[in-house]
Amino acid sequence: MLAGLAGVCALACASALAQSSVTLYGVADAGFDYLSQVQTGNGTTASRLRAQSSDWGASRFGLLGREDIGGGYGVVFNLESGTNLMSGTAGESNGRLFSRKALVGVQNDRYGKLTMGRNLFIANDQWGLDPMLQEAYSSTALVRSRNVPITSNNIEYQSPSWGGFSLHAQYTLGNQAGGFNLGAANEVGRSDGIQITYRNYLFMLRGMYDEIRDANGRMSNVFVSSREFFAGANVYLNALTLQAAYTHLSAPDTAAGLARNADHYWAGAQYRVTPALAFDGAVYYVHVGSGAGDATHDPSGHAAMFVLGSTYSVSKRTLLYATVAHVRNASGSNFSVANNNPGTNNSNLDNPLPGRSQTGAYMGINHSF
């Protein structure tokens, strides 16, 4: 009798384990980077060499889970925190432990996935059309991180592929009384986005529209709170992938006299020489429309950035990387090779002085687990 009960318990436990799973995962990225034309105060600049985390990919750890509930449906969750390997800190300084993702939802292979919580904003999906994969020096630089925000109170739907087509939509609530578009301090206001993708063996096309409002419910800074139109394409030619994209940004609530629109273009390629060795490169260009700038807004101007990179996989989970970039600014522009804040005085001395060029390089190791 005891042996029989033990067998039933073993079968029950096996059945329960087969219906649910939790995975611990993460990325550890560390290395060195060099940056020229770093401001040191009083109009002077200098070069800097430092140890740095997350140049090639964001260091992070997380928990990913799914429980099957029958009928092809499963309850899913994802908790993910950013981390800095150089300092050992995790989360954010404001105490948000799961700074990147904290969400739960329902998934069905036929109907798609619906989740709620904190999540990467839909504009992050541009990484798949960026030859530099939204590394530290990539498509994020000349739009001041506009395409990599993270939003709270997020409702997201992702469809399965229907004949090569797929849909991705997000809606972020401000959660404030007295104004539906308002947001909490240090958070965005009501924001939203929708994306359509078509993919086959030869190419991928993606179109996107999104809006990010500030805490006052306004689109008041072209590189921070604005509306975005995006179109991009990949062409797959065996070991070579060609990539190009265009973004138009506008901020209609910007104060009078300040620049309120910008256009961003890029083109580049990824080439895998061997299964282990790959090279990538891209040219990025931004043009800010007419208008002045101030401490937190970029003025009319333009900049071009040139980036080359390489990765070498020493195993399935570990790679070595190296990247170099150079940005050339128009006389009034101060864009950096990295995704720094806009404006002339926005807590960011890594932007060069207006009109100056800047060069950056980094190398390191990236391990996934």
Side-chain angles (χ1 to χ4, degrees), residues 252-303:
D253 302 320
T254 302
L258 298 177
R260 59 177 59 196
N261 62 75
D263 294 287
H264 185 217
Y265 311 80
W266 75 71
Q270 301 176 7
Y271 182 65
R272 186 160 294 281
V273 182
T274 70
L277 178 64
F279 291 94
D280 43 24
V283 178
Y284 304 89
Y285 176 79
V286 67
H287 179 268
V288 182
S290 61
D294 62 13
T296 58
H297 293 76
D298 282 318
S300 175
H302 58 89

Coordinates of all heavy atoms in Angstrom, one line a residue, residues 252-303:
P252 N 4.4 68.2 -31.0 CA 3.6 69.4 -31.3 C 3.4 70.3 -30.1 O 3.0 71.4 -30.3 CB 2.3 68.8 -31.8 CG 2.3 67.4 -31.2 CD 3.7 66.9 -31.2
D253 N 3.7 69.8 -28.9 CA 3.4 70.6 -27.7 C 4.7 71.3 -27.2 O 4.7 71.9 -26.2 CB 2.9 69.8 -26.6 CG 1.6 69.1 -26.9 OD1 0.7 69.8 -27.6 OD2 1.4 67.9 -26.6
T254 N 5.8 71.3 -28.0 CA 7.0 71.9 -27.7 C 6.8 73.4 -27.6 O 6.0 74.0 -28.4 CB 8.1 71.6 -28.8 OG1 8.3 70.2 -28.8 CG2 9.4 72.3 -28.4
A255 N 7.5 74.1 -26.7 CA 7.3 75.5 -26.5 C 7.7 76.3 -27.7 O 8.6 75.9 -28.5 CB 8.2 76.0 -25.3
A256 N 7.0 77.4 -28.0 CA 7.3 78.2 -29.2 C 8.7 78.6 -29.3 O 9.4 78.9 -28.3 CB 6.4 79.4 -29.2
G257 N 9.2 78.5 -30.5 CA 10.6 78.8 -30.8 C 11.6 77.7 -30.8 O 12.7 77.8 -31.3
L258 N 11.3 76.6 -30.1 CA 12.2 75.5 -30.0 C 11.9 74.5 -31.1 O 10.8 74.4 -31.6 CB 12.0 74.8 -28.6 CG 12.3 75.6 -27.4 CD1 12.0 74.8 -26.1 CD2 13.7 76.1 -27.4
A259 N 13.0 73.7 -31.5 CA 12.8 72.7 -32.6 C 11.8 71.6 -32.1 O 11.9 71.2 -31.0 CB 14.2 72.1 -32.9
R260 N 10.9 71.2 -33.0 CA 9.9 70.3 -32.6 C 9.8 69.1 -33.5 O 8.9 68.3 -33.4 CB 8.6 71.0 -32.5 CG 8.1 71.6 -33.8 CD 6.7 72.2 -33.6 NE 6.7 73.2 -32.6 CZ 5.6 73.7 -32.0 NH1 4.4 73.3 -32.4 NH2 5.7 74.6 -31.0
N261 N 10.7 68.9 -34.5 CA 10.7 67.7 -35.3 C 12.1 67.3 -35.7 O 13.0 68.1 -35.7 CB 9.8 67.9 -36.5 CG 10.3 69.0 -37.4 OD1 11.2 68.8 -38.2 ND2 9.6 70.1 -37.4
A262 N 12.2 66.0 -36.1 CA 13.5 65.5 -36.5 C 13.3 64.2 -37.4 O 12.3 63.5 -37.3 CB 14.4 65.1 -35.3
D263 N 14.3 64.0 -38.3 CA 14.3 62.8 -39.1 C 15.6 62.1 -38.9 O 16.6 62.7 -38.9 CB 14.1 63.3 -40.6 CG 12.8 63.9 -40.9 OD1 11.8 63.2 -40.9 OD2 12.8 65.2 -41.1
H264 N 15.4 60.8 -38.8 CA 16.6 59.9 -38.5 C 16.6 58.8 -39.6 O 15.6 58.1 -39.8 CB 16.4 59.3 -37.1 CG 17.6 58.5 -36.7 ND1 17.4 57.3 -35.9 CD2 18.9 58.6 -36.8 CE1 18.6 56.8 -35.6 NE2 19.5 57.6 -36.2
Y265 N 17.8 58.6 -40.2 CA 18.0 57.5 -41.2 C 19.1 56.7 -40.8 O 20.1 57.1 -40.2 CB 18.3 58.2 -42.6 CG 17.4 59.3 -43.0 CD1 17.6 60.6 -42.5 CD2 16.4 59.1 -44.0 CE1 16.8 61.7 -42.9 CE2 15.6 60.1 -44.4 CZ 15.8 61.4 -43.9 OH 15.0 62.5 -44.3
W266 N 19.1 55.4 -41.3 CA 20.3 54.6 -41.2 C 20.3 53.5 -42.3 O 19.2 53.1 -42.8 CB 20.5 54.0 -39.8 CG 19.6 52.8 -39.4 CD1 19.7 51.5 -39.9 CD2 18.6 52.8 -38.4 NE1 18.7 50.7 -39.2 CE2 18.1 51.5 -38.3 CE3 18.1 53.8 -37.6 CZ2 17.0 51.2 -37.5 CZ3 17.0 53.5 -36.7 CH2 16.5 52.2 -36.7
A267 N 21.5 53.0 -42.6 CA 21.7 51.9 -43.5 C 23.0 51.2 -43.1 O 23.9 51.8 -42.6 CB 21.8 52.4 -44.9
G268 N 23.0 49.8 -43.2 CA 24.1 49.1 -42.8 C 24.0 47.6 -43.1 O 23.0 47.2 -43.8
A269 N 24.8 46.8 -42.6 CA 24.8 45.4 -42.9 C 25.5 44.6 -41.8 O 26.3 45.1 -41.0 CB 25.6 45.1 -44.2
Q270 N 25.1 43.3 -41.7 CA 25.7 42.3 -40.8 C 26.3 41.2 -41.7 O 25.5 40.8 -42.6 CB 24.8 41.8 -39.8 CG 24.1 42.8 -38.9 CD 23.1 42.2 -38.0 OE1 23.0 40.9 -37.9 NE2 22.4 43.0 -37.2
Y271 N 27.5 40.8 -41.5 CA 28.1 39.7 -42.3 C 28.7 38.6 -41.4 O 29.6 39.0 -40.6 CB 29.1 40.2 -43.3 CG 29.7 39.2 -44.2 CD1 28.9 38.5 -45.1 CD2 31.0 38.8 -44.1 CE1 29.4 37.5 -45.9 CE2 31.6 37.8 -44.9 CZ 30.7 37.2 -45.8 OH 31.3 36.2 -46.6
R272 N 28.3 37.4 -41.5 CA 28.8 36.3 -40.7 C 29.9 35.6 -41.6 O 29.6 34.9 -42.5 CB 27.7 35.4 -40.3 CG 28.2 34.3 -39.3 CD 27.1 33.7 -38.5 NE 26.5 34.6 -37.6 CZ 27.1 35.0 -36.4 NH1 28.2 34.4 -36.0 NH2 26.4 35.8 -35.6
V273 N 31.2 35.8 -41.2 CA 32.3 35.2 -42.0 C 32.3 33.7 -41.7 O 32.5 32.9 -42.7 CB 33.6 35.9 -41.6 CG1 34.7 35.3 -42.4 CG2 33.5 37.4 -41.8
T274 N 32.2 33.3 -40.5 CA 32.2 31.9 -40.1 C 31.0 31.8 -39.0 O 30.5 32.8 -38.6 CB 33.5 31.4 -39.4 OG1 33.7 32.1 -38.2 CG2 34.7 31.8 -40.4
P275 N 30.7 30.6 -38.6 CA 29.7 30.5 -37.5 C 30.0 31.2 -36.3 O 29.2 31.6 -35.5 CB 29.6 29.0 -37.3 CG 29.9 28.4 -38.6 CD 31.0 29.2 -39.2
A276 N 31.3 31.5 -36.1 CA 31.8 32.1 -34.8 C 32.0 33.6 -35.0 O 31.8 34.4 -34.1 CB 33.0 31.5 -34.3
L277 N 32.5 34.0 -36.2 CA 33.0 35.4 -36.5 C 32.0 36.2 -37.3 O 31.6 35.7 -38.4 CB 34.4 35.4 -37.2 CG 35.0 36.7 -37.5 CD1 35.3 37.5 -36.2 CD2 36.2 36.5 -38.4
A278 N 31.6 37.4 -36.8 CA 30.7 38.2 -37.5 C 31.2 39.7 -37.5 O 31.8 40.1 -36.5 CB 29.3 38.1 -36.9
F279 N 30.9 40.4 -38.5 CA 31.1 41.9 -38.6 C 29.9 42.6 -38.9 O 28.9 42.1 -39.6 CB 32.1 42.2 -39.7 CG 33.5 41.7 -39.5 CD1 33.9 40.4 -40.0 CD2 34.4 42.4 -38.7 CE1 35.2 39.9 -39.7 CE2 35.7 41.9 -38.5 CZ 36.1 40.7 -39.0
D280 N 29.8 43.8 -38.4 CA 28.6 44.7 -38.6 C 29.0 46.1 -38.8 O 30.1 46.5 -38.2 CB 27.5 44.5 -37.6 CG 28.0 44.5 -36.2 OD1 29.1 45.0 -35.9 OD2 27.4 44.0 -35.3
G281 N 28.3 46.9 -39.5 CA 28.6 48.3 -39.7 C 27.4 49.1 -40.1 O 26.5 48.5 -40.7
A282 N 27.4 50.4 -39.9 CA 26.2 51.2 -40.2 C 26.6 52.7 -40.3 O 27.6 53.1 -39.7 CB 25.1 51.0 -39.2
V283 N 25.8 53.4 -41.0 CA 25.9 54.9 -41.1 C 24.5 55.4 -40.6 O 23.5 55.0 -41.1 CB 26.2 55.4 -42.5 CG1 26.2 56.9 -42.5 CG2 27.5 54.8 -43.0
Y284 N 24.5 56.3 -39.6 CA 23.3 56.9 -39.1 C 23.4 58.5 -39.4 O 24.4 59.1 -39.3 CB 23.2 56.7 -37.6 CG 23.3 55.2 -37.2 CD1 24.5 54.6 -36.9 CD2 22.1 54.5 -37.1 CE1 24.5 53.3 -36.6 CE2 22.2 53.2 -36.7 CZ 23.4 52.6 -36.5 OH 23.4 51.2 -36.1
Y285 N 22.2 59.0 -39.6 CA 22.1 60.5 -39.9 C 20.9 61.0 -39.3 O 19.8 60.4 -39.4 CB 22.1 60.7 -41.4 CG 22.0 62.2 -41.8 CD1 23.0 63.1 -41.7 CD2 20.7 62.7 -42.1 CE1 22.9 64.4 -42.0 CE2 20.6 64.1 -42.5 CZ 21.7 64.9 -42.4 OH 21.5 66.2 -42.7
V286 N 21.0 62.2 -38.6 CA 19.8 62.8 -38.0 C 19.8 64.3 -38.5 O 20.8 64.9 -38.6 CB 19.8 62.7 -36.5 CG1 21.0 63.6 -35.9 CG2 18.5 63.2 -35.9
H287 N 18.6 64.8 -38.7 CA 18.4 66.2 -39.1 C 17.3 66.7 -38.2 O 16.1 66.2 -38.2 CB 18.0 66.4 -40.5 CG 17.8 67.8 -40.9 ND1 16.5 68.4 -40.9 CD2 18.6 68.8 -41.3 CE1 16.6 69.6 -41.2 NE2 17.9 69.9 -41.5
V288 N 17.6 67.7 -37.4 CA 16.6 68.3 -36.5 C 16.0 69.6 -37.2 O 16.8 70.4 -37.7 CB 17.2 68.7 -35.1 CG1 16.2 69.4 -34.2 CG2 17.9 67.5 -34.5
G289 N 14.7 69.7 -37.2 CA 14.1 70.8 -37.9 C 14.3 72.1 -37.3 O 15.0 72.3 -36.3
S290 N 13.8 73.2 -38.0 CA 14.0 74.5 -37.6 C 13.6 74.8 -36.1 O 12.6 74.2 -35.7 CB 13.3 75.5 -38.5 OG 11.9 75.3 -38.5
G291 N 14.3 75.7 -35.5 CA 14.0 76.0 -34.1 C 15.2 76.1 -33.2 O 16.3 75.5 -33.6
A292 N 15.1 76.8 -32.1 CA 16.2 76.9 -31.2 C 16.3 75.7 -30.2 O 15.4 74.9 -30.2 CB 16.1 78.2 -30.4
G293 N 17.3 75.7 -29.4 CA 17.5 74.7 -28.4 C 17.6 75.4 -27.0 O 17.7 76.6 -26.9
D294 N 17.6 74.6 -26.0 CA 17.9 75.1 -24.6 C 18.5 74.1 -23.8 O 19.1 73.1 -24.3 CB 16.6 75.7 -24.0 CG 15.5 74.6 -23.8 OD1 15.8 73.4 -23.9 OD2 14.3 75.0 -23.5
A295 N 18.4 74.1 -22.5 CA 19.1 73.2 -21.6 C 18.7 71.8 -21.8 O 19.5 70.8 -21.7 CB 18.9 73.6 -20.1
T296 N 17.4 71.5 -22.3 CA 16.9 70.2 -22.4 C 16.4 69.9 -23.8 O 15.8 68.8 -24.0 CB 15.8 69.9 -21.4 OG1 14.8 70.8 -21.6 CG2 16.4 70.0 -20.0
H297 N 16.5 70.8 -24.7 CA 16.0 70.6 -26.1 C 17.2 70.8 -27.1 O 17.9 71.8 -26.9 CB 14.9 71.5 -26.5 CG 13.6 71.3 -25.7 ND1 13.5 71.7 -24.4 CD2 12.4 70.8 -26.1 CE1 12.3 71.4 -24.0 NE2 11.6 70.8 -25.0
D298 N 17.3 69.9 -28.1 CA 18.3 70.1 -29.1 C 17.8 71.2 -30.2 O 16.7 71.2 -30.5 CB 18.6 68.8 -29.9 CG 19.5 67.9 -29.0 OD1 20.5 68.4 -28.4 OD2 19.2 66.7 -29.0
P299 N 18.8 72.0 -30.6 CA 18.4 73.0 -31.7 C 18.4 72.4 -33.0 O 18.8 71.3 -33.2 CB 19.5 74.1 -31.5 CG 20.7 73.2 -31.1 CD 20.2 72.1 -30.2
S300 N 18.0 73.2 -34.0 CA 18.1 72.8 -35.4 C 19.5 72.5 -35.8 O 20.5 73.1 -35.3 CB 17.6 73.9 -36.3 OG 17.8 73.6 -37.7
G301 N 19.7 71.4 -36.5 CA 21.1 71.0 -36.8 C 21.1 69.6 -37.4 O 20.0 69.0 -37.6
H302 N 22.3 69.0 -37.5 CA 22.4 67.6 -38.1 C 23.7 67.0 -37.6 O 24.6 67.7 -37.2 CB 22.2 67.6 -39.6 CG 23.2 68.5 -40.3 ND1 24.5 68.0 -40.7 CD2 23.2 69.8 -40.7 CE1 25.1 68.9 -41.3 NE2 24.4 70.0 -41.3
A303 N 23.7 65.7 -37.7 CA 24.9 64.9 -37.4 C 24.9 63.6 -38.1 O 23.8 63.1 -38.5 CB 25.0 64.7 -35.9

